[in-house]
Amino acid sequence: MTSIRSRETGDLAAIRARIADEVVGRDRELDLVLAAVAAGRDLILEGPPGTSKSTLLRAITADWGIPLVLVEGNADLTPSRLVGHHNPSRVLREDYSPENFVDGPLLDAMRRGGFLYVEEFNRAPEDTIDTLLTAMAERTITVPRVGTITAAPSFRIVASMNPFDNVGTTRLSTSVYDRMCRLVVDYQDAAAEREIVSRRTGSTSARVVADAVGVTRDTRRHTDIRQGSSVRGAIDTALLARQLCEMRGIAIPHDDATSPPRDLPPDYTSTFLDAMHVALSGRIHLDDTAITTAEHVLGEIWQNHFLLAPAAAEPG
């Protein structure tokens, strides 16, 4: 496997500078992912959803001018779905031939020199993963009645996995890890998540953004929650809170983002709880031992954020 040089990628420092602003709070991860793929390595990104993994890849492939071919790992991702198949109607008319073969996402990425991005990698069947191992090791794949396809130099396989999800997943073999680099990607810090929410919602209220990010981050720390919400939950909470306030004629506070949520109008805070129920209740996953509901847990988080924590921090 050869690394990509100047014709495809140009100077790595220049590439990084061009795309750094598109990926908030991911300076280190951008460096490591960019270095790995530029060196010709395939890569596993291990982390919860909503941590900018696909954003990183889209920024890199867009800058290189190559496709990002997305495929979801699940029980239906058979080798034939991944590699491709002969067009049945043309087979009946013409018999099997390379011309009536329909490329799957793997061959599409190989021919066009793109990144094959496999989400939920450890949900794919073992024989499908074995097909990817061949492509990784040899950069070629042989298809019956079609021939041998050789990958373009910029072809990479990038996989993602959620470490919190153990339902319907399989343990990856040492053969997989031996052929791929691995990077753990965690949540961004609070400041970066506030910047993401501001960009995605176009919100002019630092108060709404700070509250949405604060309660969402608290879902990741609550003892009854096995997996909390990603920043996508904060984005939806902010959007819903703004729409509800506008519909109900409630003035939105415009405090500084770093100020505690102290002495806020009750109509605003109660509306925010409504937004949390809709935006976050489906995004949190309770612990198996928890005897409660998502709504009750969100009520506790709301109470701590708006009532208890600000009171405990009251000067004097």
Side-chain angles (χ1 to χ4, degrees), residues 117-188:
Y117 180 37
V118 187
E119 292 189 309
E120 305 291 349
F121 187 48
N122 53 343
R123 288 180 176 275
E126 187 175 351
D127 56 346
T128 302
I129 293 176
D130 289 343
T131 303
L132 290 171
L133 290 179
T134 303
M136 283 189 280
E138 307 296 335
R139 315 316 274 184
T140 63
I141 187 168
T142 301
V143 181
R145 301 187 179 93
V146 175
T148 298
I149 291 85
T150 300
S154 55
F155 167 70
R156 301 287 181 270
I157 294 175
V158 183
S160 68
M161 301 191 310
N162 177 7
F164 295 102
D165 199 351
N166 55 13
V167 178
T169 61
T170 59
R171 184 177 180 180
L172 296 181
S173 68
T174 55
S175 298
V176 174
Y177 284 113
D178 188 54
R179 286 171 170 83
M180 303 183 79
C181 293
R182 172 178 174 269
L183 174 63
V184 174
V185 182
D186 206 348
Y187 295 108
Q188 288 103 322

Coordinates of all heavy atoms in Angstrom, one line a residue, residues 117-188:
Y117 N -16.6 4.2 3.7 CA -16.8 4.5 5.1 C -17.9 3.6 5.6 O -19.1 3.7 5.2 CB -17.2 6.0 5.3 CG -17.5 6.3 6.8 CD1 -16.8 5.8 7.8 CD2 -18.5 7.2 7.1 CE1 -17.0 6.2 9.1 CE2 -18.8 7.6 8.4 CZ -18.0 7.0 9.4 OH -18.3 7.4 10.7
V118 N -17.6 2.6 6.5 CA -18.5 1.6 7.0 C -18.9 2.0 8.4 O -18.0 1.8 9.3 CB -17.9 0.2 7.0 CG1 -18.9 -0.9 7.4 CG2 -17.3 -0.1 5.6
E119 N -20.1 2.5 8.6 CA -20.6 2.8 9.9 C -21.0 1.5 10.6 O -21.5 0.5 9.9 CB -21.7 3.8 9.8 CG -21.3 5.2 9.4 CD -22.4 6.2 9.5 OE1 -23.5 5.9 9.1 OE2 -22.1 7.2 10.1
E120 N -21.0 1.5 11.9 CA -21.4 0.3 12.7 C -20.7 -1.0 12.2 O -21.3 -2.0 11.9 CB -22.9 0.1 12.6 CG -23.7 1.3 13.1 CD -23.6 1.6 14.6 OE1 -23.1 0.7 15.3 OE2 -24.0 2.7 15.0
F121 N -19.4 -0.8 12.0 CA -18.5 -1.9 11.4 C -18.7 -3.2 12.1 O -18.8 -4.3 11.4 CB -17.1 -1.4 11.5 CG -16.1 -2.3 10.8 CD1 -16.3 -2.7 9.5 CD2 -14.9 -2.7 11.4 CE1 -15.4 -3.5 8.8 CE2 -14.0 -3.5 10.7 CZ -14.2 -3.9 9.4
N122 N -18.8 -3.2 13.4 CA -18.9 -4.5 14.1 C -20.3 -5.1 14.1 O -20.5 -6.1 14.7 CB -18.4 -4.4 15.6 CG -19.1 -3.3 16.3 OD1 -19.7 -2.4 15.7 ND2 -19.1 -3.3 17.6
R123 N -21.2 -4.5 13.3 CA -22.5 -5.2 13.1 C -22.6 -5.9 11.8 O -23.5 -6.6 11.5 CB -23.6 -4.1 13.1 CG -23.9 -3.5 14.4 CD -25.0 -2.5 14.3 NE -25.4 -1.9 15.6 CZ -26.3 -2.5 16.4 NH1 -26.9 -3.6 16.1 NH2 -26.6 -2.0 17.6
A124 N -21.5 -5.8 10.9 CA -21.5 -6.5 9.7 C -21.2 -7.9 9.9 O -20.5 -8.3 10.8 CB -20.5 -5.8 8.7
P125 N -21.7 -8.8 9.0 CA -21.4 -10.3 9.1 C -19.9 -10.5 8.9 O -19.2 -9.8 8.3 CB -22.2 -10.9 8.0 CG -23.3 -9.9 7.7 CD -22.7 -8.5 7.9
E126 N -19.5 -11.6 9.5 CA -18.1 -12.0 9.5 C -17.6 -12.2 8.1 O -16.5 -11.7 7.7 CB -17.8 -13.2 10.3 CG -16.4 -13.6 10.5 CD -16.1 -14.7 11.4 OE1 -17.1 -15.2 12.1 OE2 -15.0 -15.2 11.5
D127 N -18.4 -12.8 7.2 CA -17.9 -13.1 5.8 C -17.8 -11.8 5.0 O -17.0 -11.6 4.1 CB -18.7 -14.1 5.1 CG -20.2 -13.7 5.1 OD1 -20.6 -12.8 5.8 OD2 -21.0 -14.3 4.3
T128 N -18.6 -10.8 5.4 CA -18.5 -9.5 4.7 C -17.2 -8.8 5.1 O -16.5 -8.2 4.3 CB -19.7 -8.6 5.1 OG1 -20.9 -9.3 4.7 CG2 -19.7 -7.2 4.4
I129 N -16.9 -8.8 6.4 CA -15.7 -8.2 6.9 C -14.5 -8.9 6.3 O -13.5 -8.3 5.9 CB -15.6 -8.3 8.4 CG1 -16.7 -7.4 9.0 CG2 -14.2 -7.9 9.0 CD1 -16.8 -7.5 10.6
D130 N -14.6 -10.2 6.1 CA -13.5 -10.9 5.4 C -13.2 -10.4 4.0 O -12.1 -10.3 3.5 CB -13.8 -12.4 5.3 CG -13.7 -13.1 6.7 OD1 -13.1 -12.5 7.6 OD2 -14.2 -14.2 6.9
T131 N -14.3 -10.0 3.3 CA -14.2 -9.5 2.0 C -13.4 -8.2 2.0 O -12.5 -7.9 1.2 CB -15.5 -9.2 1.3 OG1 -16.3 -10.4 1.3 CG2 -15.4 -8.6 0.0
L132 N -13.6 -7.4 3.1 CA -12.9 -6.1 3.2 C -11.4 -6.4 3.6 O -10.6 -5.6 3.1 CB -13.6 -5.3 4.3 CG -14.9 -4.7 4.0 CD1 -15.5 -4.1 5.2 CD2 -14.8 -3.6 2.9
L133 N -11.2 -7.4 4.3 CA -9.8 -7.8 4.6 C -9.0 -8.0 3.4 O -7.8 -7.6 3.3 CB -9.7 -9.0 5.6 CG -10.2 -8.8 7.0 CD1 -10.2 -10.1 7.7 CD2 -9.5 -7.7 7.7
T134 N -9.6 -8.7 2.4 CA -8.9 -8.9 1.1 C -8.5 -7.6 0.4 O -7.4 -7.4 -0.1 CB -9.7 -9.8 0.2 OG1 -10.0 -11.1 0.9 CG2 -9.0 -10.1 -1.1
A135 N -9.5 -6.7 0.4 CA -9.3 -5.5 -0.3 C -8.3 -4.6 0.5 O -7.5 -3.9 -0.2 CB -10.6 -4.7 -0.3
M136 N -8.2 -4.7 1.8 CA -7.2 -4.0 2.5 C -5.8 -4.5 2.3 O -4.9 -3.8 2.2 CB -7.6 -4.0 4.0 CG -8.7 -3.0 4.4 SD -8.9 -2.9 6.2 CE -9.9 -4.4 6.6
A137 N -5.7 -5.8 2.3 CA -4.4 -6.5 2.3 C -3.8 -6.4 0.9 O -2.6 -6.1 0.7 CB -4.5 -7.9 2.7
E138 N -4.6 -6.6 -0.2 CA -4.1 -6.7 -1.5 C -4.4 -5.4 -2.4 O -3.8 -5.3 -3.4 CB -4.7 -7.9 -2.2 CG -4.5 -9.2 -1.4 CD -3.1 -9.6 -1.3 OE1 -2.3 -9.2 -2.1 OE2 -2.8 -10.3 -0.3
R139 N -5.3 -4.6 -1.9 CA -5.8 -3.4 -2.7 C -6.3 -3.9 -4.1 O -6.5 -3.1 -5.0 CB -4.7 -2.4 -3.0 CG -3.9 -2.0 -1.8 CD -4.7 -1.8 -0.5 NE -5.3 -0.5 -0.4 CZ -6.0 -0.1 0.7 NH1 -6.2 -1.0 1.7 NH2 -6.5 1.1 0.8
T140 N -6.7 -5.2 -4.1 CA -7.4 -5.7 -5.3 C -8.5 -6.7 -4.8 O -8.5 -7.1 -3.7 CB -6.4 -6.5 -6.2 OG1 -5.9 -7.7 -5.5 CG2 -5.3 -5.7 -6.7
I141 N -9.4 -7.0 -5.7 CA -10.4 -8.0 -5.4 C -10.8 -8.6 -6.7 O -10.9 -8.0 -7.8 CB -11.7 -7.3 -4.7 CG1 -12.6 -8.4 -4.3 CG2 -12.3 -6.3 -5.6 CD1 -13.7 -7.9 -3.3
T142 N -11.0 -9.9 -6.7 CA -11.3 -10.7 -7.9 C -12.8 -11.1 -7.8 O -13.2 -11.7 -6.8 CB -10.4 -12.0 -8.0 OG1 -9.0 -11.6 -8.1 CG2 -10.8 -12.7 -9.2
V143 N -13.5 -10.7 -8.8 CA -14.9 -11.0 -8.9 C -15.2 -12.0 -10.0 O -14.7 -11.8 -11.2 CB -15.7 -9.8 -9.2 CG1 -17.2 -10.1 -9.2 CG2 -15.5 -8.7 -8.1
P144 N -15.8 -13.2 -9.7 CA -16.1 -14.2 -10.8 C -16.8 -13.6 -12.0 O -17.7 -12.8 -11.8 CB -16.9 -15.2 -10.0 CG -16.6 -15.1 -8.6 CD -16.3 -13.6 -8.4
R145 N -16.4 -13.9 -13.2 CA -17.0 -13.5 -14.4 C -16.8 -12.0 -14.7 O -17.3 -11.4 -15.6 CB -18.4 -13.8 -14.5 CG -18.8 -15.3 -14.4 CD -20.3 -15.5 -14.7 NE -20.6 -16.9 -14.6 CZ -21.1 -17.5 -13.5 NH1 -21.2 -16.8 -12.4 NH2 -21.4 -18.8 -13.5
V146 N -16.0 -11.3 -13.8 CA -15.7 -9.9 -14.0 C -14.2 -9.7 -14.1 O -13.8 -8.9 -15.0 CB -16.3 -9.0 -12.9 CG1 -15.9 -7.6 -13.0 CG2 -17.8 -9.1 -12.8
G147 N -13.5 -10.3 -13.3 CA -12.0 -10.1 -13.3 C -11.5 -9.5 -12.0 O -12.2 -9.4 -11.0
T148 N -10.3 -9.1 -12.1 CA -9.6 -8.5 -10.9 C -9.7 -7.0 -11.0 O -9.3 -6.4 -12.0 CB -8.1 -8.9 -10.8 OG1 -8.1 -10.4 -10.7 CG2 -7.4 -8.3 -9.6
I149 N -10.2 -6.3 -9.9 CA -10.3 -4.9 -9.9 C -9.2 -4.4 -8.9 O -9.0 -4.9 -7.8 CB -11.6 -4.4 -9.4 CG1 -12.7 -4.7 -10.4 CG2 -11.6 -2.9 -9.0 CD1 -13.3 -6.1 -10.3
T150 N -8.4 -3.5 -9.4 CA -7.3 -2.9 -8.6 C -7.7 -1.5 -8.1 O -8.2 -0.7 -8.9 CB -6.0 -2.8 -9.4 OG1 -5.6 -4.1 -9.9 CG2 -4.9 -2.2 -8.6
A151 N -7.6 -1.2 -6.9 CA -8.0 0.0 -6.3 C -7.1 1.2 -6.8 O -5.9 1.0 -7.0 CB -8.0 0.0 -4.8
A152 N -7.7 2.3 -7.0 CA -7.0 3.6 -7.3 C -6.2 3.9 -6.0 O -6.5 3.5 -4.9 CB -8.0 4.7 -7.6
P153 N -5.1 4.7 -6.2 CA -4.2 5.0 -5.1 C -4.8 5.6 -3.9 O -4.4 5.4 -2.7 CB -3.1 5.9 -5.7 CG -3.1 5.6 -7.2 CD -4.6 5.2 -7.5
S154 N -5.8 6.4 -4.1 CA -6.4 7.1 -2.9 C -7.5 6.3 -2.2 O -8.1 6.8 -1.2 CB -7.0 8.5 -3.4 OG -7.9 8.3 -4.4
F155 N -7.8 5.1 -2.6 CA -8.8 4.3 -1.9 C -8.4 4.0 -0.5 O -7.2 3.6 -0.2 CB -8.9 2.9 -2.7 CG -9.7 1.9 -2.0 CD1 -11.1 2.0 -1.8 CD2 -9.1 0.7 -1.5 CE1 -11.8 1.1 -1.1 CE2 -9.8 -0.2 -0.8 CZ -11.2 -0.1 -0.7
R156 N -9.3 4.1 0.4 CA -9.1 3.8 1.8 C -10.4 3.2 2.4 O -11.5 3.5 1.9 CB -8.8 5.0 2.7 CG -7.6 5.8 2.2 CD -6.3 5.1 2.6 NE -5.1 5.9 2.2 CZ -4.6 5.8 1.0 NH1 -5.0 5.0 0.1 NH2 -3.5 6.6 0.7
I157 N -10.2 2.3 3.4 CA -11.4 1.8 4.1 C -11.3 2.4 5.5 O -10.3 2.3 6.2 CB -11.4 0.3 4.2 CG1 -11.6 -0.3 2.8 CG2 -12.5 -0.2 5.2 CD1 -11.4 -1.8 2.8
V158 N -12.4 3.1 5.9 CA -12.5 3.7 7.2 C -13.8 3.2 7.8 O -14.8 3.2 7.2 CB -12.6 5.3 7.2 CG1 -12.6 5.8 8.6 CG2 -11.4 5.8 6.4
A159 N -13.6 2.6 9.0 CA -14.8 2.0 9.8 C -15.0 2.8 11.1 O -14.1 3.4 11.6 CB -14.5 0.6 10.0
S160 N -16.3 2.8 11.5 CA -16.6 3.4 12.8 C -17.3 2.4 13.6 O -18.1 1.6 13.1 CB -17.4 4.7 12.6 OG -18.7 4.4 12.1
M161 N -17.2 2.5 14.9 CA -17.8 1.7 15.9 C -18.2 2.5 17.1 O -17.5 3.4 17.5 CB -17.0 0.5 16.3 CG -16.5 -0.4 15.2 SD -15.7 -1.9 15.8 CE -14.6 -1.3 17.0
N162 N -19.4 2.1 17.7 CA -19.8 2.7 18.9 C -19.5 1.8 20.1 O -20.0 0.7 20.2 CB -21.3 3.0 18.9 CG -21.9 3.5 20.1 OD1 -21.2 3.9 21.1 ND2 -23.2 3.6 20.2
P163 N -18.6 2.2 21.0 CA -18.2 1.3 22.1 C -19.3 1.1 23.1 O -19.2 0.1 23.9 CB -17.0 2.1 22.7 CG -17.2 3.5 22.4 CD -17.9 3.5 21.1
F164 N -20.3 1.9 23.2 CA -21.4 1.7 24.1 C -22.4 0.7 23.7 O -23.2 0.3 24.5 CB -22.1 3.1 24.4 CG -21.2 4.1 25.0 CD1 -20.6 5.1 24.3 CD2 -20.9 4.1 26.4 CE1 -19.8 6.1 24.9 CE2 -20.1 5.0 27.0 CZ -19.6 6.0 26.2
D165 N -22.4 0.4 22.4 CA -23.4 -0.4 21.8 C -23.0 -1.9 21.7 O -22.0 -2.2 21.0 CB -23.8 0.1 20.4 CG -25.2 -0.4 20.0 OD1 -25.7 -1.3 20.7 OD2 -25.7 0.0 18.9
N166 N -23.6 -2.8 22.5 CA -23.2 -4.2 22.5 C -24.3 -5.1 22.1 O -24.2 -6.3 22.3 CB -22.6 -4.6 23.8 CG -23.5 -4.3 25.0 OD1 -24.7 -4.0 24.7 ND2 -23.1 -4.4 26.2
V167 N -25.4 -4.6 21.6 CA -26.5 -5.4 21.1 C -26.4 -5.6 19.6 O -26.3 -4.7 18.9 CB -27.9 -4.7 21.5 CG1 -29.0 -5.5 21.0 CG2 -28.0 -4.4 22.9
G168 N -26.4 -6.9 19.3 CA -26.3 -7.3 17.8 C -24.9 -7.0 17.2 O -24.8 -6.9 16.0
T169 N -23.9 -6.9 18.0 CA -22.6 -6.7 17.5 C -21.7 -7.9 17.7 O -22.0 -8.8 18.5 CB -21.9 -5.5 18.3 OG1 -21.8 -5.8 19.7 CG2 -22.7 -4.2 18.1
T170 N -20.6 -8.0 16.9 CA -19.7 -9.1 17.0 C -18.3 -8.5 17.4 O -18.0 -7.4 17.1 CB -19.6 -9.8 15.7 OG1 -19.2 -8.9 14.7 CG2 -20.9 -10.5 15.3
R171 N -17.5 -9.4 18.0 CA -16.2 -9.0 18.4 C -15.3 -9.1 17.2 O -15.2 -10.2 16.5 CB -15.7 -9.9 19.5 CG -14.3 -9.5 20.0 CD -13.9 -10.4 21.2 NE -12.6 -10.1 21.7 CZ -12.0 -10.7 22.7 NH1 -12.6 -11.7 23.3 NH2 -10.8 -10.3 23.1
L172 N -14.6 -8.0 16.9 CA -13.7 -8.1 15.7 C -12.5 -8.9 16.0 O -11.9 -8.9 17.1 CB -13.2 -6.6 15.3 CG -14.3 -5.7 14.9 CD1 -13.7 -4.3 14.6 CD2 -15.1 -6.2 13.7
S173 N -12.0 -9.6 14.9 CA -10.9 -10.5 15.1 C -9.6 -9.7 15.1 O -9.5 -8.5 14.7 CB -10.9 -11.5 13.9 OG -10.6 -10.8 12.7
T174 N -8.5 -10.4 15.5 CA -7.2 -9.8 15.5 C -6.7 -9.5 14.1 O -5.9 -8.6 13.9 CB -6.2 -10.7 16.2 OG1 -6.2 -12.0 15.6 CG2 -6.5 -10.9 17.7
S175 N -7.3 -10.3 13.1 CA -6.9 -10.0 11.7 C -7.3 -8.6 11.3 O -6.7 -8.0 10.5 CB -7.5 -11.1 10.8 OG -7.0 -12.4 11.1
V176 N -8.5 -8.2 11.8 CA -9.0 -6.9 11.5 C -8.1 -5.8 12.1 O -7.6 -4.9 11.4 CB -10.5 -6.7 11.9 CG1 -10.9 -5.3 11.7 CG2 -11.4 -7.7 11.2
Y177 N -7.9 -5.9 13.4 CA -7.1 -4.9 14.0 C -5.6 -4.9 13.5 O -5.0 -3.8 13.5 CB -7.1 -5.1 15.5 CG -8.4 -4.7 16.2 CD1 -9.2 -5.6 16.8 CD2 -8.7 -3.4 16.3 CE1 -10.4 -5.2 17.4 CE2 -9.9 -3.0 16.9 CZ -10.7 -3.9 17.5 OH -11.9 -3.5 18.1
D178 N -5.1 -6.0 13.0 CA -3.8 -6.1 12.5 C -3.6 -5.3 11.2 O -2.5 -4.9 10.9 CB -3.4 -7.5 12.3 CG -1.9 -7.7 12.0 OD1 -1.1 -7.2 12.8 OD2 -1.6 -8.3 10.9
R179 N -4.7 -5.1 10.5 CA -4.7 -4.4 9.2 C -5.1 -3.0 9.3 O -5.1 -2.3 8.2 CB -5.5 -5.2 8.2 CG -4.9 -6.5 7.7 CD -5.9 -7.3 6.9 NE -5.3 -8.5 6.3 CZ -5.1 -9.6 6.9 NH1 -5.5 -9.8 8.1 NH2 -4.5 -10.6 6.2
M180 N -5.6 -2.5 10.4 CA -6.1 -1.2 10.5 C -5.5 -0.4 11.7 O -5.3 -1.0 12.7 CB -7.6 -1.2 10.6 CG -8.3 -2.0 9.5 SD -10.2 -2.0 9.7 CE -10.5 -0.4 9.0
C181 N -5.3 0.9 11.4 CA -5.0 1.8 12.6 C -6.3 2.0 13.3 O -7.4 1.8 12.8 CB -4.4 3.1 12.1 SG -2.8 2.9 11.3
R182 N -6.2 2.5 14.5 CA -7.4 2.7 15.4 C -7.2 4.1 16.1 O -6.2 4.4 16.6 CB -7.5 1.6 16.4 CG -8.6 1.8 17.5 CD -8.6 0.6 18.4 NE -9.5 0.8 19.5 CZ -9.1 1.3 20.7 NH1 -7.9 1.6 20.9 NH2 -10.0 1.4 21.7
L183 N -8.3 4.8 16.2 CA -8.4 6.1 16.9 C -9.6 6.2 17.7 O -10.7 6.0 17.1 CB -8.3 7.3 15.9 CG -8.4 8.7 16.5 CD1 -7.3 9.0 17.5 CD2 -8.5 9.7 15.4
V184 N -9.5 6.4 19.0 CA -10.7 6.6 19.8 C -11.1 8.1 19.8 O -10.2 9.0 20.0 CB -10.3 6.2 21.3 CG1 -11.5 6.6 22.2 CG2 -10.0 4.8 21.4
V185 N -12.3 8.3 19.5 CA -12.9 9.7 19.3 C -14.0 9.9 20.4 O -15.0 9.2 20.4 CB -13.5 9.9 17.9 CG1 -14.0 11.4 17.8 CG2 -12.4 9.6 16.8
D186 N -13.7 10.8 21.3 CA -14.7 11.1 22.4 C -15.4 12.4 22.1 O -15.2 13.0 21.0 CB -14.0 11.2 23.7 CG -14.8 10.9 24.9 OD1 -16.1 10.7 24.7 OD2 -14.3 10.7 26.0
Y187 N -16.3 12.7 23.0 CA -17.1 14.0 22.8 C -16.2 15.2 22.8 O -15.2 15.2 23.6 CB -18.2 14.1 23.9 CG -19.2 13.1 23.8 CD1 -19.3 12.0 24.8 CD2 -20.2 13.1 22.8 CE1 -20.3 11.1 24.7 CE2 -21.2 12.1 22.8 CZ -21.2 11.1 23.7 OH -22.2 10.1 23.7
Q188 N -16.5 16.3 22.1 CA -15.8 17.5 22.2 C -16.1 18.2 23.6 O -17.0 17.7 24.4 CB -16.3 18.5 21.2 CG -15.8 18.1 19.8 CD -16.9 17.5 18.9 OE1 -17.7 16.7 19.4 NE2 -16.9 17.8 17.6

